[in-house]
């Protein structure tokens, strides 16, 4: 998505060789008009695909997932990074290594929010090594539901997670794929 690439170049900040900060429009501060534009683009990419539910992970995946859900007209479920007191009954869990915090957390979601046989679209703001995506796929499988695909705002292609998922047969649609991010220079993958 050309507009996302332009926004990354204009408002993004390279924090290190593998961390991009997009706090001005995607994380921390949210450009809602732009978020909905991204949601509409995901709807276009997955047009004709049956999607019953959208699954993401707290916290920064929620806004993007909600914008996608607005156009796809499916409920959003977000996986929590730790079990909380307001979760009751059976839960699905998956251990995920956090890229940004460099620790392992137990992603948890109540079983009641993903039903057997449903087609689930996994959404997230970033795809790097693919650990968050793999954890969400694991949870969909535990629910005996199907992964309809993965919709990602920013994929850092040089970290390999997206291509590994594609090799496994998953449909991964990323609105921007960064293939190089060095010395203040960002190179996007050509469509
Ligand atoms: P992965 O599990 O694919 O290695 O990393 C994806 C998760 O880590 C996303 O949920 C996202 O929140 C976070 N993440 C990974 N790389 C970045 C990055 O460069 N910038 C930001 N803001 N978050 C990232």
């Amino acid at each position: 998505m050309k507009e996302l690439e332009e926004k990354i170049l204009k408002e993004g900040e390279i924090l290190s060789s593998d961390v991009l900060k997009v706090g001005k429009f995607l994380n921390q501060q949210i450009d809602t008009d732009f978020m909905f534009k991204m949601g509409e683009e995901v709807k276009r990419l997955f047009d004709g695909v049956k999607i019953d539910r959208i699954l993401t992970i707290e916290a920064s995946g929620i806004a993007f997932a909600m914008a996608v859900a607005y156009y796809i007209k499916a409920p959003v479920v977000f996986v929590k990074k730790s079990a909380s007191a307001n979760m009751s009954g059976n839960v699905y869990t998956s251990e995920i290594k956090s890229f940004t915090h460099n620790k392992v957390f137990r992603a948890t979601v109540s079983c009641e929010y993903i039903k057997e046989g449903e087609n689930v679209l996994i959404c997230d703001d970033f795809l790097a090594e693919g650990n968050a995506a793999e954890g969400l796929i694991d949870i969909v499988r535990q629910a005996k539901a199907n992964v309809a695909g993965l919709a990602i705002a920013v994929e850092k292609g040089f970290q390999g997670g997206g291509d590994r998922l594609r090799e496994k047969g998953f449909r991964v649609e990323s609105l921007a794929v960064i293939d190089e991010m060095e010395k203040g220079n960002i190179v996007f993958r050509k469509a």
Side-chain angles (χ1 to χ4, degrees):
M1 186 182 178
K2 196 85 198 127
E3 286 155 290
L4 177 57
E5 293 182 359
E6 283 164 3
K7 215 157 163 70
I8 291 169
L9 292 176
K10 200 164 151 230
E11 297 179 28
E13 217 181 301
I14 300 172
L15 289 191
S16 66
S17 60
D18 58 5
V19 178
L20 177 70
K21 183 176 165 190
V22 284
K24 280 193 183 143
F25 66 97
L26 187 58
N27 303 139
Q28 297 254 317
Q29 173 170 276
I30 294 169
D31 180 337
T32 49
D33 282 354
F34 191 71
M35 197 63 99
F36 280 103
K37 268 191 193 169
M38 291 199 289
E40 199 172 10
E41 177 63 4
V42 172
K43 158 79 180 156
R44 191 188 67 76
L45 290 166
F46 282 92
D47 221 17
V49 177
K50 188 176 180 300
I51 294 164
D52 304 304
R53 208 171 283 273
I54 289 171
L55 186 67
T56 189
I57 189 157
E58 69 174 356
S60 51
I62 298 174
F64 175 60
M66 211 197 79
V68 172
Y70 177 79
Y71 290 98
I72 287 184
K73 303 290 173 220
V76 179
V77 175
F78 66 88
V79 163
K80 296 196 177 224
K81 285 187 173 156
S82 60
S84 62
N86 60 9
M87 288 183 92
S88 59
N90 294 333
V91 294
Y92 300 118
T93 64
S94 191
E95 303 240 311
I96 297 178
K97 183 177 160 271
S98 166
F99 178 77
T100 38
H101 296 98
N102 197 23
K103 64 176 187 189
V104 174
F105 60 90
R106 187 180 289 261
T108 308
V109 64
S110 290
C111 296
E112 64 184 300
Y113 299 128
I114 313 174
K115 305 268 188 273
E116 185 173 342
E118 282 184 341
N119 296 307
V120 179
L121 179 69
I122 292 172
C123 287
D124 207 357
D125 58 339
F126 271 91
L127 175 59
E129 292 171 352
N131 296 311
E134 291 281 6
L136 293 172
I137 291 168
D138 179 31
I139 283 175
V140 172
R141 286 198 169 137
Q142 289 177 43
K144 299 192 174 67
N146 314 305
V147 177
L150 293 95
I152 305 294
V154 185
E155 175 182 337
K156 287 177 294 169
F158 60 90
Q159 288 176 284
D163 290 334
R164 277 191 288 278
L165 290 165
R166 292 183 184 97
E167 276 161 27
K168 288 182 186 173
F170 292 104
R171 178 168 175 195
V172 183
E173 297 285 1
S174 301
L175 302 184
V177 182
I178 297 174
D179 270 341
E180 280 174 50
M181 195 171 85
E182 274 170 1
K183 301 179 201 101
N185 184 38
I186 295 179
V187 178
F188 294 101
R189 189 173 292 181
K190 299 223 170 20

